[in-house]
Amino acid sequence: MMGPFVPDLISNELNLVIAFLLGTGFGVTLEQAGFSSSRKLAGVFYGYDFTVLRVFFTAAVTAMSGTLLLGYFGLLDLDVIFVNPTWLAPAIVGGAIMGAGFILGGYCPGTSLCAAVIGKVDAMFFVLGGAIGVFGFGELYPLYKGFYESTSLGDIKVFDSLGMSQGLFAFLLIVVAVTAFAVTTLIEKKVAGGAGPSSEFKTKRHVAAGAALLAVGLVLLVLPDRKTSMIARASDPAFLAAHPAEKMDIDELAYRLVDRDPRVQVVDIRPPEAFARQSLPGAKNLPIRQFFGHDAMAVLSPRHVKKVIVGETEAEEHAASRLMIDLGYENAVVLKGGFAAFQAAYLGAEPPAPVEGLSRWAADVTRFRTQARGDILQMIASAKAEAPKAPKPQKKIAGGC
Amino acid sequence: MQTKYMNPYLAGFFLGLVLLATIFITGRGLGASGAVKSVVVASVAAAAPEHAARSAFYGPYVAPGAEHPLKAWLVFEVLGVMLGAYFSGLAAGRLRLVTEAGPRVSRRWVRWVFAAVGGALFGIGAQFARGCTSGAALSGMAVLSTAGFVTMMAIFGTGYLLAFFARRLWI
């Protein structure tokens, strides 16, 4: 079982029921934390109550650590989950407007809803104001549509933006969180004296919890991402030298393609753009990072079908075949010389160059190639005509506010 | 009898687990402002359908073939949030019609006006940033999105910058 379960295992309707249940948990924890009180929320800006920072930061590092650990153990496909895309300038401006709203209004949208349902009249006004704000934004949308859509950077990750590894960033974030917890508790004791919530903290337990969190950070620092580490291991030249792959030469593949052999499946590991330009008849495009997902299983699992791996280079193909074996699939062979060799012999605009040598065999091969080239090009053309569809976009979950 | 709030670290830990479960099961994060947007879109579509269809902002949600704007993940999630908060408040004895304000705010309507203005700013800002404190900042940080961290720093940075000028509201 590998998460997430939407959309493969959970339908849209069931997903709405799950949304309601998870929302209930969200509401209970927000209210229990004291986020239904604007004075408590505003305390973070004046130093008399750092509840917001404590809850927010703890929740963020808990969810982040859990996500990374589940990804490492192969229980959650991190390449599929929704990563909030970055529109840099609108994110900064929007955040600044929200910051002003926070200090004036004393709530954010989620907390205002929690506060409104337990009877906070100021929160009801905040919710009403929020709806008016969205309406105003919608009515004047054409004025700033250009800005709204500017500086789009896609779903980039923060550690890439900062040029560090995922593990190092996670570790540093946890260090910052624990430091902030300690420093703000000292500030709160100064500002609020015995009135702040920290006056009731049991020091020993909190120090122990902080140490445990730092230990999690250390684990994240040394744990590589499972996909990356498995690919790195399978691509290691020394490892590959010790584990030679079964190979198929281009003429055998061409023969089997022309023969429409049902026990051969071409697995093309090149990037989707290269695959879209030209690919072999019946080939399935499966870049190496997609070997881990649900979609790969359908292609790779039939045991009696030979999976012929086609890539830019033989080394890449070899690594992919080792990765398949590591993932529990079998019957993988690599194409000698990679896609380029096959392309040169069978897919060029010109008929193939005669094979060197004077033997009878060389003449046979040349004749075969010339014939098979026509058949294969025709198979490719008719496959294109039958299914004029673009390659299926990679599954990605929609989300966001 | 009003009970105390939960230890904030423990509450944060539970909140983190709820968010983790959300990411694990559904592949997306939590949110709040998106539901407000859905309600606004649905209201505009009901009151002025032609206007909504022409608008670049509402249009995509009311286009033929689109799901009803209220049949959205965040709408159902927020209904759950309200129910959960209500029962939590009930269990803790915190159900009371009351206006909370800083000690120097003597008139309730002053607090109400500022709350509404703050809400409106949040509504506008959350559109630009594609999410609020929950949807953009918290959920974004959990999946290590650059936008999540940028939005979080912008929200709290601006809050601290303006805190001095708004101090009469709170202390």
Side-chain angles (χ1 to χ4, degrees):
Chain A
M1 284 290 260
M2 191 180 198
F5 304 137
V6 174
D8 289 340
L9 294 178
I10 293 179
S11 68
N12 278 335
E13 273 67 24
L14 181 58
N15 196 9
L16 295 179
V17 177
I18 288 169
F20 181 75
L21 296 176
L22 290 165
T24 310
F26 189 30
V28 169
T29 44
L30 284 178
E31 207 288 327
Q32 283 295 314
F35 277 17
S36 53
S37 159
S38 55
R39 290 211 61 204
K40 228 172 149 50
L41 290 165
V44 72
F45 296 113
Y46 298 98
Y48 62 79
D49 189 332
F50 279 101
T51 299
V52 167
L53 178 128
R54 294 181 181 120
V55 176
F56 188 86
F57 232 150
T58 310
V61 295
T62 303
M64 173 199 71
S65 307
T67 306
L68 294 181
L69 287 172
L70 288 174
Y72 174 76
F73 289 114
L75 296 169
L76 177 63
D77 191 347
L78 298 186
D79 286 353
V80 177
I81 61 173
F82 175 74
V83 175
N84 308 51
T86 301
W87 280 267
L88 192 59
I92 295 171
V93 170
I97 296 172
M98 287 192 274
F102 208 153
I103 197 76
L104 295 179
Y107 291 105
C108 62
T111 56
S112 69
L113 287 163
C114 293
V117 295
I118 67 159
K120 299 283 166 64
V121 182
D122 46 333
M124 298 172 194
F125 278 94
F126 186 97
V127 174
L128 190 69
I132 294 171
V134 176
F135 177 69
F137 180 93
E139 290 304 309
L140 301 177
Y141 182 64
L143 289 183
Y144 33 70
K145 187 168 183 287
F147 173 71
Y148 178 75
E149 287 164 355
S150 68
T151 54
S152 169
L153 303 177
D155 41 6
I156 51 171
K157 301 268 192 133
V158 64
F159 51 88
D160 287 330
S161 304
L162 297 173
M164 59 174 82
S165 76
Q166 177 178 286
L168 180 62
F169 180 84
F171 172 71
L172 290 178
L173 186 70
I174 286 178
V175 171
V176 170
V178 173
T179 312
F181 295 152
V183 171
T184 52
T185 296
L186 293 178
I187 296 173
E188 186 181 285
K189 285 191 166 147
K190 273 229 162 101
V191 174
S198 55
S199 61
E200 291 177 18
F201 287 173
K202 299 191 172 59
T203 311
K204 262 189 196 165
R205 277 191 209 171
H206 282 74
V207 170
L213 185 54
L214 284 174
V216 172
L218 276 177
V219 170
L220 294 176
L221 177 63
V222 296
L223 269 194
D225 160 47
R226 173 171 171 270
K227 282 187 189 177
T228 311
S229 67
M230 283 188 78
I231 292 171
R233 197 180 83 101
S235 311
D236 177 31
F239 177 80
L240 290 179
H243 297 86
E246 194 190 324
K247 294 182 183 181
M248 182 182 280
D249 70 29
I250 54 171
D251 300 310
E252 182 184 349
L253 178 61
Y255 177 78
R256 285 170 179 264
L257 288 177
V258 172
D259 201 32
R260 293 181 167 76
D261 186 341
R263 296 203 298 187
V264 159
Q265 169 67 56
V266 174
V267 176
D268 194 327
I269 60 170
R270 294 174 304 146
E273 306 81 58
F275 182 80
R277 269 198 302 279
Q278 195 169 38
S279 59
L280 302 184
K284 291 266 169 27
N285 186 215
L286 210 58
I288 197 163
R289 282 192 76 83
Q290 290 178 26
F291 275 30
F292 300 83
H294 295 294
D295 295 346
M297 206 181 281
V299 180
L300 301 179
S301 53
R303 286 169 60 190
H304 302 294
V305 173
K306 239 189 215 335
K307 272 73 67 178
V308 183
I309 300 175
V310 176
E312 309 275 14
T313 66
E314 217 176 293
E316 274 176 28
E317 295 173 346
H318 192 175
S321 77
R322 285 315 306 180
L323 182 65
M324 266 182 71
I325 292 164
D326 288 346
L327 289 169
Y329 299 114
E330 44 194 311
N331 213 351
V333 298
V334 308
L335 179 66
K336 266 190 197 165
F339 184 77
F342 193 92
Q343 192 179 32
Y346 290 100
L347 307 177
E350 304 288 312
V355 177
E356 300 274 327
L358 294 168
S359 66
R360 170 88 192 278
W361 177 84
D364 281 350
V365 171
T366 307
R367 195 177 321 119
F368 170 76
R369 284 186 181 178
T370 314
Q371 262 177 18
R373 172 177 166 275
D375 289 352
I376 290 174
L377 286 176
Q378 202 175 1
M379 285 168 81
I380 294 175
S382 65
K384 257 194 185 150
E386 270 168 36
K389 58 173 187 229
K392 180 180 155 204
Q394 210 195 335
K395 177 176 68 183
K396 203 77 186 169
I397 291 160
C401 238
Chain B
M1 235 291 286
Q2 185 173 336
T3 54
K4 275 189 197 145
Y5 294 114
M6 194 188 282
N7 176 297
Y9 300 110
L10 195 59
F13 179 65
F14 285 136
L15 180 54
L17 290 185
V18 172
L19 177 54
L20 178 60
T22 308
I23 293 170
F24 180 59
I25 298 171
T26 72
R28 50 161 300 149
L30 296 163
S33 59
V36 178
K37 178 175 175 179
S38 295
V39 170
V40 170
V41 170
S43 310
V44 172
E50 285 176 16
H51 173 65
R54 272 199 312 274
S55 154
F57 182 68
Y58 309 114
Y61 300 92
V62 294
E67 290 271 17
H68 190 276
L70 289 182
K71 196 189 164 191
W73 198 91
L74 283 171
V75 170
F76 282 76
E77 182 240 52
V78 157
L79 289 175
V81 168
M82 288 159 67
L83 186 83
Y86 177 80
F87 279 108
S88 165
L90 181 70
R94 283 192 281 266
L95 290 190
R96 223 158 5 112
L97 215 54
V98 62
T99 295
E100 249 187 61
R104 286 198 275 176
V105 179
S106 50
R107 289 189 180 81
R108 276 190 305 182
W109 65 264
V110 173
R111 170 71 189 118
W112 292 348
V113 168
F114 276 102
V117 169
L121 287 173
F122 238 112
I124 295 165
Q127 298 314 308
F128 278 115
R130 276 94 173 160
C132 56
T133 334
S134 344
L138 181 61
S139 301
M141 283 169 71
V143 294
L144 297 175
S145 142
T146 301
F149 284 86
V150 169
T151 309
M152 184 271 295
M153 287 192 288
I155 292 175
F156 287 99
T158 313
Y160 278 107
L161 278 179
L162 299 178
F164 176 79
F165 305 101
R167 65 192 184 281
R168 293 179 60 91
L169 293 174
W170 302 109
I171 53 174

